[in-house]
Amino acid sequence: MNESMMNQTPSTVLKNEHQVILRVLRVLESLVNRMESGENPQSEALSRCVEFFRLFADACHHAKEEDILFPMLESRGIPRDGGPIGVMLHEHTQARAFTKEMGEAVQKARISADEWSTEVFPTFNREAADQTAVPMTVPIGAL
């Protein structure tokens, strides 16, 4: 790890992770666009996207927010309910549900190409991209 990475603030790390997640969402969007134009689903690439969302976006990134950032913000007076923390927690719940649906769609595609549905992927991609693209709107003084 280079020195500039070691000197990053926690909020910078989270913002950089958002950028990585957005890159994978763009890959997913490209795969979805191909399927919508009639190409066969690339189930291995789709499966890797799902795995990324489970292991990195959720288990790593969301865990940092939920286990470290959100409690720290609450301790500094930012409300969990009715505030930005509650909104982000809701978005995490939605992302988990969409990731689960995508995983199930990939499994079905591996079993039977006839049962393949492209509907799950565009829904997830566009909603998740909208959520992830929104910059963190936590008051500077709270960090």
Side-chain angles (χ1 to χ4, degrees):
M1 192 178 318
N2 67 33
E3 188 174 329
S4 66
M5 289 177 69
M6 291 174 48
N7 293 328
Q8 290 182 346
T9 65
S11 61
T12 300
V13 170
L14 290 173
K15 288 176 186 177
N16 289 341
E17 289 177 1
H18 276 222
Q19 294 306 309
V20 173
I21 294 166
L22 283 172
R23 282 188 214 127
V24 177
L25 285 167
R26 284 192 290 271
V27 168
L28 180 58
E29 182 173 30
S30 174
L31 293 168
V32 169
N33 289 340
R34 289 177 178 180
M35 289 187 305
E36 289 177 335
S37 68
E39 288 186 33
N40 288 331
Q42 297 180 13
S43 61
E44 186 58 35
L46 294 167
S47 179
R48 288 181 185 211
C49 287
V50 171
E51 183 178 17
F52 170 84
F53 293 128
R54 284 185 183 141
L55 297 178
F56 181 77
D58 191 36
C60 178
H61 178 76
H62 290 165
K64 288 177 192 173
E65 291 178 333
E66 293 171 6
D67 298 342
I68 301 168
L69 176 64
F70 298 168
M72 186 267 305
L73 294 173
E74 283 183 273
S75 75
R76 295 189 181 178
I78 295 178
R80 180 181 204 86
D81 297 322
I85 297 170
V87 169
M88 288 183 276
L89 286 169
H90 177 70
E91 291 170 351
H92 291 182
T93 299
Q94 286 182 314
R96 287 180 183 111
F98 289 132
T99 299
K100 182 178 182 222
E101 289 178 38
M102 286 193 321
E104 290 169 357
V106 170
Q107 274 304 109
K108 283 182 182 178
R110 288 184 172 157
I111 295 167
S112 170
D114 295 337
E115 295 181 30
W116 183 256
S117 169
T118 61
E119 293 304 312
V120 172
F121 292 93
T123 301
F124 174 83
N125 185 46
R126 290 177 182 96
E127 288 186 22
D130 290 345
Q131 293 170 11
T132 306
V134 175
M136 291 173 53
T137 54
V138 175
I140 299 289
L143 300 176

